[in-house]
Amino acid sequence: MKKIKLYIAASIDGYIAGLDGSLDWLSEYPITPELNYGYDQFFESIDTVIMGGKTYRDILNMDVIYPYESKISYIITRNQINNSKENLHFITDNIIENIGDLRKKQGKDIWLVGGGELISMLLDHDLIDEMIITYVPTLLGDGIPLFPKIRKESNWKLINSQSYENGVLTVIYQRIV
């Protein structure tokens, strides 16, 4: 069975974006060939990405090439979107059931890209197996929280942590079943 892994950057006060959805605060900590915070290794371990509709639209508005073209993408959205790309699928209903079915497919693991509402929904249904959170040494004070409105308690085991000279800290947690 595939694992669903949340791999995300957060401020040290627990936000994944500014109030307006801005990610400008991450620009001082880019992923580079010399310092990629484990991204390259992680990216090779997955063949599927899942993200919320707002996260997908934010990526499209960044004026960059879609970064997950080599993976199968599932966008969770309330709005039906016309699509002509083979590796891009939209889930508009039966979200939990459909994501549960994705876990049963053969292949590599699944990357839960974001956003906060989708993260909380999947946590509430025990569908996240691992969390890889890269904490950036920035306080945003307010914004889009990493874990908004979680309704269910869950327990996690620290698997690994890695600190970097620039103050960034990556932690890996595994859900305790």
Side-chain angles (χ1 to χ4, degrees), residues 43-44 46-49 66-73 87:
F43 197 73
E44 287 303 313
I46 57 115
D47 62 8
T48 305
V49 298
Y66 185 67
Y68 313 114
E69 285 185 347
S70 65
K71 310 297 180 182
I72 300 169
S73 295
N87 280 348

Side-chain angles (χ1 to χ4, degrees), residues 55-103:
T55 301
Y56 175 69
R57 288 186 300 278
D58 288 347
I59 290 170
L60 293 181
N61 289 332
M62 286 183 190
D63 197 31
V64 296
I65 296 172
Y66 185 67
Y68 313 114
E69 285 185 347
S70 65
K71 310 297 180 182
I72 300 169
S73 295
Y74 291 89
I75 313 306
I76 312 306
T77 181
R78 293 177 188 94
N79 308 313
Q80 190 65 37
I81 300 173
N82 292 330
N83 170 44
S84 62
K85 295 185 179 178
E86 183 179 328
N87 280 348
L88 190 60
H89 308 278
F90 296 89
I91 298 174
T92 57
D93 56 359
N94 301 318
I95 294 167
I96 298 305
E97 182 180 311
N98 280 307
I99 291 176
D101 289 344
L102 291 177
R103 294 174 83 203

